[in-house]
Structures are given as C-alpha cells and as structure tokens.
Amino acid sequence: MNYFPDEVLEHIFDFVNSHKDRNSVSLTCKSWYRIEKYSREKVFIGNCYSISPERLVARFPGLKSLTLKGKPHFADFNLVPHDWGGFVLPWIEELAKAKIGLEELRLKRMVVSDESLELISRAFPNFKSLVLVSCEGFTTDGLAAIASNCRLLRELDLQENEVEDHRGQWLNCFPENCTSLVSLNFACLKGEINLPALERLVARSPNLRSLKLNRAVPLETLQRILVKAPHLVDLGTGSFVHEPVSEPYTKLEAAIQKCTSLKSLSGFLEVAPRCLAAIYPICGNLTSVNLSYAPGISGTELIKLIQNCTKLQRLWILDCIGDKGLEVVASTCKELQELRVFPSDPYGVGNAAVTEEGLVAISAGCLKLTSLLYFCQQMTNAALITVAKNCPNFTCFRLCILDPTKPDATTQQPLDEGYGAIVQACKSITRLSLSGLLTDQVFLYIGKYAEKLEMLSIAFAGDSDKAMLYVLNGCKRLRKLEIMNSPFGDMALLKDMGKYETMRSLWMSSCDITLGGCKMLAKKMPGLNVEIMSENDQMEINREDDKQKVDRMYLYRTLVGPRKDAPEFVWTL
C-alpha cells in the first residue's frame, strides 16, 4: 500500500472508525504515521493526565473531535476526593492557542469551569457538539455562553453533572436564527427553565431528534413541545403529573399518538402513575426505555408499561419491578440486548430488590442479551451457571449484591463456581464486576478463561495475593483494574510490574499495600504515575514510614511525568 499516493491512503484511513485500529495504523510504518498525523480528526484520551495538551496538538494538528476523561471510575462511588483534579481548562487553552478547528468535545468526570465554556464558545467558530458526563465546576452562565456564541451548535448533552444554577434564562441565549439543534439534554439541571424560550427553540429546530427535559418542565409544556416536534426520536420527559381527566392530559394523549418516530423514552422524574397510560400507544415502537430516575412508578405500573414494549433492545429500570416484573420483561422483550436494574433502596431495608430468580428468567427469555448491570438482594451459583448457559454472548457482566460479601443464598458457599461458569461460557466478555463471597478460585477462573477482559472491578474478594496475580498474569488484554477492600498487598502489587505498562490504570483502596511497596513500584517503573491519597483529605501522610498502609493508590501510565496540579492530599511518588 505504500505505492498509493498519500491522498488515497487518507481516504482509506477514513473508513477506520475504531480508535484502537487508528492507533495501530499509526504504528505500521513511518509513512503511515505521518499520514495518520495529518488525517486523523477524532481522538480519544482515557486519562487526561496520560499525555499533555501540547503533545496532542503537535501529534494531530487536524483534530476536530476530542473525547477526554478525568477522574478515575471509582469517583462515581465517592471514593475519589472531591478536589482531586481533572481540569479541562489547560486543554481548551492549548487547543485555542494552536488554532485547532475543534468541532466536538466529549468530557467525562472533568472539572469544567465557566471560563473554559466561554473560551470554547469564542475560540472555535465551527463548534457543533458538547457532551458533558458527570462533570462539575460550571454554572448556567457557562451554558449561556455556549448557547449565545456557538452558532452552529447541533448537540448539547448534559448527563449527571453538578451544575450551579445562577439563572433560568440560559435557554433564552440561543439566538433567534439558531436552527441547527439536533440533540438537547438538560435533564440534570435542577433550576427553573424559561419555558417560552424552550418552546420557541424547539419550534425553530426542524432537525431536533433528541430532547431530554428536567423536572421544571410541566406536562402542559411537554404537550405543546410534542405538537411542535412530532418528529422526535428520543424523548426524556420532565414532570409527568396531571389529572387524567383534565384537558391538558387529553391534549397530551393526542400529541403523543402523533409521535410515530419515537424510539427512545426516559425521564418521568416526577410522575402521576395514572398518567402513564398516555404513552401506551407508542410503546410498541420503542427500542430503548430508561426509567432508572422514576421512583414514583410502582412495580405494578412498570409491568403494565413493559407489556406494551415488545421491541425493546435496551432497558434501564429500578428493582421495584421485582422478580415477577422481570419475568414479564423476559416474556415480552425478546429483542433485549442491554439490561440495567438499579436499586430503589440501596441499603436493602425494603423487600423490593430482585433476586436470582429474576435474572434466571431474563436469561431464559432474552437470549440476545449482551450487557447486564444487576443490583440484587442475593445470588446463587446454580443461577449464574444457568445464566451462562442461556446467554453466552455477554460482553459486559456487572453483578452487584447489596451485601457485597453474601454467599450463595442456597448453599452458603462462595460464588466462585457461578462466576467461573460466566467467564468460561461468555468468551467475549470485556467488562466484569463481581460481588458476593469470593475466594482466590474465582480469580483463577478469570485469569484462565477471560481472554478478552479489559476492565475488572472487584470488592471484598479473594483470600491472598495469588488472586490478583492470577488476573494480572492471565488477562492479557486487561486495561483497567479496580480493587477495594480486598486482602492484596505488596507481593501482588510488585510481582508483575511490567504488566502495568500495558494497562491504562490500577486503583486500589482499603487493601494491604504499603507506602514502601508503592515507593518501590514508582522507582522501578518511571513511566507510571503512582499517586497516594490519604483516607482523610486533610490528613498528612508520614512519608518516612514505609510500613504504613496506603488507603488509596491510583496508578496510571503517562508520557509526561507527574502532573502539576495535584492538591496537597495527593502525593505522586
């Protein structure tokens, strides 16, 4: 292929969409490396401290789309200190300085200031898409800047962010000639919304296909929006509360029936269950339903709704649906590929949580299932073995027992054999999360059979250092390993240090590693950042006591050495 002109190779490379494949292309030869440099427009960076903004713009001057992640995944469980870092402003400043033609930016677990949003809105005239997931640090003033200045904006997607609401008028900042919006999601905002401005924006956005509202948008406004945008494909409702015999409800019923393109439904942040019948007529077309933020819907009402959703491929739901409700899902949703069941009572006080019976029913009825997140009261080896036989195509399997050390509910034995059956039968698993009583044996199974595993999350598991070594030695494709409250110490940490050079990161909290072990690792592996965090963010670490146990350690591969913005409670070895 080296005989082809560069323009031909660039055109061929355009058909390679996978980030991993594009990385492999650049490593083939010098000419491909050079062509990749100038032709690559989309870049994914899984850790914002693994490389510097300066190196990014030097490597890919034609960059148009950037995906950037900040805090470790365990930040979702409040295990990472609030002020740990992950600031996006230095990246935006460097991209602006280099006059990069940025059009799309996707950020996850990053600190995003109003200053950075203002700079985005002014430095990149062709900016079209902003997606923020689990970010913090900004206010509606920053959103107002994006709305005012990004004249070509197609997508503004705000998912589970902490946003300070200075005013409810940011939607009014979209200029009257803004007609480019395709996707708008502000469901995570808690403040009031300028409802007339929202209606006008929807009315002048003929290409709008995805709209997700917050709880400040009442049912009457939703009805008027649906009249203006019957072509929506993805809808997230706000407040779904009204009397079913009222005129607004009757109008809503009529408007919903005309939304024949609707495929995805979410929201119901506030809901009057009797109003749910209004959406029954369009349920037959739905392929995705997310009711994980709808605690006001009872299990009985959920079952009535699901019985109408025969084409579902993706379902996120609360465990108040119960085992009987999951049996209805199994008999109704034969095309289901992804299921997430979240706890309505995370502390397990009530009796609503699902059990192994619901999961077995799902596996028997939904044979196309490939992705699972399942919070439950209990599990058995027999159930997991049955699930493995019924659904061998899992790529993601995450099981969270609310009591994380609970044994087999029937035999009181560890759940090793059940998870062992999962990794033996499901050859394509790339992501795995375990809970329940587990010994070293399950990690032997994982290391032996989970050949494609890329991410593993474990807690309260294992007997000795051997468990961790089984995984490090056996899982050749492992990129992210997350461990908490497990008896793994310095021997497990230091035995196979070379493995960390092929991984993105390792997180260990409340384990048995020592400061001396972490120092040894940092000394032997200079290409890694080894960060130590104290249990109390204000507590100083005794840097001379090598025998003291480390509460939290975050290890990641980097090309630029220790970061310069680490707070005082983070010590980079």
Side-chain angles (χ1 to χ4, degrees):
M1 289 182 64
N2 287 335
Y3 295 104
F4 288 124
D6 288 359
E7 294 80 6
V8 174
L9 289 175
E10 285 184 20
H11 183 68
I12 294 172
F13 291 172
D14 286 342
F15 291 95
V16 182
N17 296 318
S18 165
H19 294 292
K20 293 180 181 179
D21 291 341
R22 291 298 294 242
N23 292 342
S24 298
V25 163
S26 67
L27 298 175
T28 303
C29 61
K30 290 183 178 180
S31 64
W32 285 28
Y33 179 92
R34 175 177 49 80
I35 295 170
E36 169 75 348
K37 172 177 181 175
Y38 292 106
S39 67
R40 188 161 182 174
E41 297 181 349
K42 296 183 178 181
V43 174
F44 169 86
I45 299 175
N47 180 351
C48 66
Y49 293 117
S50 64
I51 193 172
S52 67
E54 294 80 7
R55 292 189 67 150
L56 172 66
V57 299
R59 178 70 180 95
F60 301 114
L63 176 68
K64 291 184 179 180
S65 174
L66 175 62
T67 299
L68 192 60
K69 292 186 177 182
K71 291 182 178 180
H73 172 244
F74 268 8
D76 293 345
F77 305 97
N78 297 318
L79 293 175
V80 179
H82 179 72
D83 298 323
W84 176 84
F87 302 97
V88 76
L89 183 58
W91 291 85
I92 305 303
E93 289 176 334
E94 184 60 32
L95 293 171
K97 177 183 175 183
K99 301 188 185 308
I100 296 295
L102 192 68
E103 297 180 3
E104 300 177 357
L105 183 62
R106 292 169 171 79
L107 305 176
K108 189 169 186 178
R109 302 188 200 96
M110 299 283 290
V111 178
V112 181
S113 63
D114 285 345
E115 181 183 0
S116 60
L117 294 177
E118 175 78 26
L119 184 55
I120 289 170
S121 73
R122 297 191 179 280
F124 310 113
N126 295 320
F127 194 76
K128 299 175 182 177
S129 174
L130 178 64
V131 180
L132 305 179
V133 182
S134 301
C135 293
E136 58 183 303
F138 63 102
T139 74
T140 49
D141 290 343
L143 298 180
I146 294 292
S148 298
N149 302 320
C150 298
R151 299 305 176 99
L152 302 177
L153 193 68
R154 293 170 53 86
E155 180 178 29
L156 179 59
D157 190 353
L158 310 174
Q159 303 177 33
E160 301 182 357
N161 302 286
E162 296 180 18
V163 187
E164 186 176 344
D165 198 342
H166 282 178
R167 51 180 177 156
Q169 302 300 317
W170 66 275
L171 277 173
N172 204 36
C173 295
F174 282 97
E176 290 299 322
N177 61 353
C178 174
T179 61
S180 58
L181 270 183
V182 175
S183 176
L184 176 63
N185 175 9
F186 58 92
C188 67
L189 299 190
K190 299 177 181 178
E192 295 298 316
I193 292 295
N194 186 324
L195 298 177
L198 173 62
E199 291 185 42
R200 291 196 301 270
L201 179 61
V202 171
R204 64 176 185 268
S205 303
N207 297 316
L208 189 66
R209 294 296 179 268
S210 178
L211 178 63
K212 297 181 180 180
L213 311 170
N214 74 344
R215 65 178 66 247
V217 180
L219 184 141
E220 295 93 330
T221 302
L222 173 64
Q223 178 266 323
R224 292 194 292 270
I225 285 174
L226 293 181
V227 170
K228 295 178 173 68
H231 47 269
L232 284 174
V233 176
D234 182 8
L235 174 65
T237 71
S239 175
F240 209 77
V241 177
H242 223 288
E243 288 298 322
V245 294
S246 63
E247 181 182 355
Y249 177 80
T250 303
K251 288 183 176 180
L252 177 67
E253 279 187 310
I256 287 178
Q257 290 182 21
K258 294 180 181 179
C259 296
T260 56
S261 299
L262 206 60
K263 299 295 182 183
S264 178
L265 190 63
S266 60
F268 301 96
L269 308 176
E270 292 182 358
V271 59
R274 290 180 298 172
C275 293
L276 288 175
I279 66 172
Y280 290 170
I282 52 97
C283 283
N285 294 328
L286 296 178
T287 59
S288 175
V289 169
N290 180 358
L291 299 177
S292 61
Y293 292 99
I297 305 178
S298 68
T300 302
E301 295 295 335
L302 285 175
I303 291 173
K304 290 180 182 178
L305 179 63
I306 295 300
Q307 284 176 328
N308 293 280
C309 301
T310 56
K311 296 181 181 179
L312 275 190
Q313 298 176 17
R314 178 175 177 264
L315 175 62
W316 292 17
I317 207 161
L318 293 173
D319 65 2
C320 58
I321 192 171
D323 288 335
K324 295 297 182 184
L326 290 180
E327 291 176 6
V328 173
V329 173
S331 62
T332 305
C333 309
K334 297 301 182 180
E335 301 298 315
L336 196 66
Q337 298 175 25
E338 178 184 349
L339 174 66
R340 298 190 184 188
V341 181
F342 296 91
S344 51
D345 177 12
Y347 301 101
V349 176
N351 297 314
V354 294
T355 70
E356 75 281 3
E357 293 181 8
L359 183 56
V360 168
I362 288 291
S363 72
C366 305
L367 302 181
K368 296 182 180 181
L369 200 65
T370 60
S371 180
L372 176 74
L373 172 61
Y374 195 76
F375 284 84
C376 59
Q377 285 277 23
Q378 62 185 41
M379 189 52 57
T380 66
N381 283 304
L384 289 173
I385 292 170
T386 300
V387 170
K389 290 178 180 177
N390 291 338
C391 297
N393 296 319
F394 276 118
T395 58
C396 174
F397 189 90
R398 294 186 284 169
L399 181 63
C400 304
I401 302 174
L402 296 180
D403 178 353
T405 60
K406 195 169 186 177
D408 183 308
T410 303
T411 67
Q412 302 304 307
Q413 294 298 308
L415 291 168
D416 300 337
E417 299 305 318
Y419 286 113
I422 293 290
V423 294
Q424 288 183 62
C426 306
K427 303 295 185 183
S428 298
I429 279 189
T430 59
R431 185 171 183 182
L432 182 64
S433 297
L434 313 178
S435 62
L437 181 62
L438 299 168
T439 71
D440 288 354
Q441 184 65 36
V442 73
F443 297 98
L444 179 62
Y445 290 142
I446 293 171
K448 185 176 181 180
Y449 296 109
E451 296 179 355
K452 296 184 179 180
L453 190 65
E454 296 181 2
M455 181 174 178
L456 176 63
S457 303
I458 54 179
F460 301 95
D463 303 314
S464 69
D465 289 334
K466 289 182 180 180
M468 182 171 166
L469 292 175
Y470 289 146
V471 172
L472 291 175
N473 293 332
C475 300
K476 304 301 182 185
R477 298 189 184 183
L478 190 66
R479 296 181 58 78
K480 295 177 69 175
L481 178 58
E482 303 172 334
I483 307 170
M484 61 177 291
N485 296 93
S486 297
F488 308 147
D490 290 346
M491 196 272 279
L493 180 68
L494 301 175
K495 182 72 172 179
D496 189 13
M497 291 184 287
K499 175 67 176 179
Y500 305 134
E501 289 188 329
T502 67
M503 294 171 55
R504 184 189 301 168
S505 64
L506 167 66
W507 171 277
M508 298 183 74
S509 59
S510 301
C511 295
D512 290 337
I513 56 175
T514 68
L515 180 58
C518 294
K519 285 181 178 179
M520 177 65 71
L521 176 59
K523 182 179 180 180
K524 295 287 187 181
M525 306 296 293
L528 304 175
N529 275 358
V530 182
E531 294 188 357
I532 304 300
M533 290 162 266
S534 57
E535 181 176 2
N536 184 327
D537 300 348
Q538 308 302 321
M539 184 187 303
E540 290 190 9
I541 302 171
N542 183 351
R543 304 192 177 194
E544 304 302 323
D545 183 7
D546 287 352
K547 294 184 179 180
Q548 70 173 310
K549 288 189 178 180
V550 170
D551 181 64
R552 283 172 283 190
M553 185 272 293
Y554 181 46
L555 173 157
Y556 55 91
R557 191 178 56 195
T558 180
L559 298 176
V560 291
R563 59 188 175 109
K564 299 179 177 62
D565 63 357
E568 292 184 359
F569 57 81
V570 174
W571 180 23
T572 303
L573 301 179

Coordinates of all heavy atoms in Angstrom, one line a residue, residues 497-534:
M497 N 5.3 -6.1 37.7 CA 5.2 -4.7 37.4 C 5.1 -4.4 36.0 O 4.5 -3.4 35.6 CB 6.3 -4.0 38.1 CG 6.3 -4.0 39.6 SD 7.6 -3.1 40.4 CE 9.0 -4.2 40.1
G498 N 5.7 -5.2 35.1 CA 5.7 -4.9 33.7 C 4.4 -4.9 33.1 O 4.1 -4.2 32.1
K499 N 3.4 -5.6 33.7 CA 2.0 -5.6 33.3 C 1.4 -4.2 33.2 O 0.6 -3.9 32.3 CB 1.2 -6.5 34.2 CG -0.3 -6.6 33.8 CD -0.5 -7.3 32.5 CE -2.0 -7.4 32.3 NZ -2.3 -8.0 31.0
Y500 N 1.8 -3.4 34.2 CA 1.2 -2.0 34.2 C 1.5 -1.2 33.0 O 0.8 -0.2 32.7 CB 1.6 -1.3 35.5 CG 1.3 -2.2 36.8 CD1 2.3 -2.3 37.8 CD2 0.1 -2.8 37.0 CE1 2.0 -3.1 38.9 CE2 -0.2 -3.5 38.1 CZ 0.8 -3.7 39.1 OH 0.6 -4.4 40.2
E501 N 2.6 -1.5 32.3 CA 2.9 -0.7 31.1 C 1.9 -1.0 30.0 O 1.8 -0.2 29.1 CB 4.3 -1.0 30.7 CG 5.4 -0.5 31.6 CD 6.8 -0.6 31.0 OE1 7.0 -1.6 30.3 OE2 7.6 0.2 31.3
T502 N 1.2 -2.1 30.1 CA 0.2 -2.4 29.0 C -1.2 -2.0 29.5 O -2.1 -2.1 28.7 CB 0.2 -3.9 28.7 OG1 -0.3 -4.6 29.8 CG2 1.6 -4.4 28.3
M503 N -1.4 -1.5 30.7 CA -2.7 -1.1 31.2 C -2.8 0.4 31.2 O -1.8 1.1 31.2 CB -2.8 -1.7 32.6 CG -2.9 -3.2 32.7 SD -2.9 -3.8 34.4 CE -4.2 -2.9 35.2
R504 N -4.1 0.9 31.3 CA -4.3 2.3 31.4 C -4.2 2.7 32.9 O -3.6 3.7 33.2 CB -5.7 2.6 30.9 CG -6.0 4.1 30.9 CD -7.5 4.4 30.6 NE -7.8 3.9 29.3 CZ -9.1 3.9 28.9 NH1 -10.1 4.2 29.7 NH2 -9.3 3.4 27.7
S505 N -4.7 1.9 33.8 CA -4.7 2.3 35.2 C -5.0 1.1 36.2 O -5.6 0.1 35.8 CB -5.8 3.4 35.4 OG -7.1 2.9 35.2
L506 N -4.6 1.3 37.4 CA -4.9 0.4 38.5 C -5.3 1.3 39.7 O -4.6 2.2 40.1 CB -3.6 -0.4 38.9 CG -3.7 -1.2 40.2 CD1 -4.8 -2.3 40.2 CD2 -2.3 -1.8 40.6
W507 N -6.4 0.9 40.3 CA -6.9 1.6 41.5 C -7.0 0.6 42.6 O -7.6 -0.5 42.4 CB -8.3 2.2 41.3 CG -9.0 2.7 42.5 CD1 -9.7 2.0 43.5 CD2 -9.0 4.1 43.0 NE1 -10.1 2.8 44.5 CE2 -9.7 4.1 44.2 CE3 -8.4 5.3 42.5 CZ2 -9.9 5.3 44.9 CZ3 -8.6 6.4 43.2 CH2 -9.3 6.4 44.4
M508 N -6.4 0.9 43.8 CA -6.5 0.1 45.0 C -6.9 0.9 46.2 O -6.1 1.9 46.5 CB -5.2 -0.7 45.2 CG -4.9 -1.7 44.1 SD -3.3 -2.6 44.4 CE -4.0 -3.8 45.6
S509 N -8.0 0.6 46.9 CA -8.3 1.3 48.1 C -8.7 0.3 49.2 O -9.3 -0.7 48.9 CB -9.5 2.3 47.8 OG -10.6 1.6 47.3
S510 N -8.3 0.6 50.4 CA -8.5 -0.2 51.6 C -8.1 -1.6 51.3 O -8.7 -2.6 51.7 CB -10.1 -0.2 51.9 OG -10.5 1.1 52.2
C511 N -6.9 -1.8 50.8 CA -6.2 -3.1 50.6 C -5.0 -3.1 51.6 O -5.0 -2.3 52.5 CB -5.8 -3.3 49.1 SG -7.2 -3.3 48.0
D512 N -4.1 -4.0 51.3 CA -3.0 -4.2 52.3 C -1.6 -3.8 51.7 O -0.6 -4.2 52.2 CB -2.9 -5.7 52.6 CG -4.0 -6.2 53.5 OD1 -4.6 -5.3 54.2 OD2 -4.3 -7.4 53.6
I513 N -1.6 -2.9 50.7 CA -0.4 -2.4 50.2 C 0.2 -1.3 51.1 O -0.5 -0.6 51.8 CB -0.6 -1.8 48.8 CG1 -1.6 -0.7 48.8 CG2 -0.9 -2.9 47.8 CD1 -1.8 0.0 47.4
T514 N 1.5 -1.2 51.1 CA 2.2 -0.3 52.0 C 2.8 0.9 51.2 O 3.0 0.8 50.0 CB 3.3 -1.0 52.8 OG1 4.3 -1.4 51.9 CG2 2.7 -2.2 53.6
L515 N 3.2 1.9 51.9 CA 3.9 3.0 51.3 C 5.2 2.6 50.7 O 5.6 3.0 49.6 CB 4.1 4.1 52.3 CG 4.8 5.4 51.8 CD1 4.1 6.0 50.7 CD2 5.0 6.4 53.0
G516 N 5.9 1.7 51.4 CA 7.2 1.2 50.9 C 7.0 0.5 49.6 O 7.8 0.6 48.6
G517 N 6.0 -0.3 49.5 CA 5.7 -1.1 48.2 C 5.4 -0.1 47.1 O 5.8 -0.3 45.9
C518 N 4.6 0.9 47.4 CA 4.3 1.9 46.3 C 5.5 2.7 45.9 O 5.7 3.0 44.7 CB 3.2 2.9 46.8 SG 1.6 2.1 47.1
K519 N 6.4 3.0 46.9 CA 7.7 3.7 46.5 C 8.5 2.8 45.6 O 9.1 3.3 44.6 CB 8.5 4.0 47.8 CG 7.9 5.2 48.6 CD 8.8 5.4 49.8 CE 8.3 6.6 50.6 NZ 9.2 6.9 51.8
M520 N 8.6 1.5 45.9 CA 9.4 0.6 45.1 C 8.8 0.5 43.7 O 9.6 0.5 42.7 CB 9.4 -0.8 45.8 CG 10.1 -1.9 45.0 SD 11.9 -1.6 44.8 CE 12.3 -1.9 46.5
L521 N 7.5 0.5 43.6 CA 6.9 0.4 42.3 C 7.2 1.7 41.4 O 7.6 1.6 40.3 CB 5.4 0.3 42.4 CG 4.6 0.3 41.1 CD1 5.0 -0.8 40.2 CD2 3.1 0.2 41.5
A522 N 7.1 2.8 42.1 CA 7.4 4.1 41.4 C 8.9 4.2 40.9 O 9.2 4.7 39.9 CB 7.1 5.3 42.3
K523 N 9.8 3.6 41.8 CA 11.2 3.6 41.4 C 11.5 2.7 40.3 O 12.3 3.1 39.4 CB 12.0 3.2 42.7 CG 13.5 3.3 42.4 CD 14.2 2.9 43.7 CE 15.8 2.9 43.5 NZ 16.5 2.5 44.8
K524 N 10.9 1.6 40.2 CA 11.2 0.6 39.2 C 10.5 0.9 37.9 O 11.0 0.5 36.8 CB 10.7 -0.8 39.7 CG 11.5 -1.4 40.9 CD 12.9 -1.8 40.5 CE 13.6 -2.5 41.6 NZ 15.0 -2.9 41.3
M525 N 9.4 1.7 37.9 CA 8.6 1.9 36.7 C 8.4 3.4 36.6 O 7.3 4.0 36.9 CB 7.2 1.3 36.9 CG 7.2 -0.2 37.2 SD 8.0 -1.2 35.8 CE 6.9 -1.0 34.5
P526 N 9.4 4.1 36.1 CA 9.3 5.6 35.9 C 8.3 6.1 34.9 O 8.0 7.3 34.9 CB 10.8 6.0 35.5 CG 11.3 4.8 34.9 CD 10.7 3.6 35.6
G527 N 7.8 5.2 34.1 CA 6.8 5.6 33.1 C 5.4 5.6 33.7 O 4.4 5.9 32.9
L528 N 5.3 5.3 35.0 CA 4.0 5.3 35.6 C 3.9 6.5 36.6 O 4.9 6.8 37.3 CB 3.7 4.0 36.3 CG 3.9 2.7 35.5 CD1 3.7 1.5 36.4 CD2 2.8 2.7 34.4
N529 N 2.7 7.0 36.8 CA 2.5 7.9 37.9 C 1.8 7.1 39.0 O 0.8 6.4 38.8 CB 1.5 9.0 37.5 CG 2.3 10.2 36.9 OD1 3.5 10.2 36.8 ND2 1.5 11.2 36.5
V530 N 2.4 7.1 40.2 CA 1.8 6.4 41.3 C 1.4 7.4 42.3 O 2.2 8.1 43.0 CB 2.9 5.4 42.0 CG1 2.2 4.7 43.1 CG2 3.4 4.5 41.0
E531 N 0.1 7.6 42.5 CA -0.5 8.6 43.4 C -1.0 8.0 44.6 O -1.8 7.0 44.6 CB -1.6 9.4 42.6 CG -1.1 10.2 41.5 CD -2.2 11.1 40.9 OE1 -3.3 11.1 41.4 OE2 -1.9 11.9 39.9
I532 N -0.7 8.6 45.8 CA -1.1 8.2 47.1 C -2.1 9.2 47.6 O -1.8 10.4 47.6 CB 0.0 8.0 48.0 CG1 1.1 7.0 47.5 CG2 -0.5 7.5 49.4 CD1 0.5 5.6 47.2
M533 N -3.2 8.8 48.1 CA -4.2 9.7 48.7 C -4.5 9.2 50.1 O -4.7 8.0 50.3 CB -5.5 9.7 47.9 CG -5.4 10.4 46.6 SD -6.7 10.0 45.4 CE -6.0 8.7 44.5
S534 N -4.6 10.1 51.1 CA -4.9 9.8 52.4 C -6.4 9.5 52.6 O -7.2 10.0 51.8 CB -4.5 10.8 53.4 OG -5.1 12.1 53.1

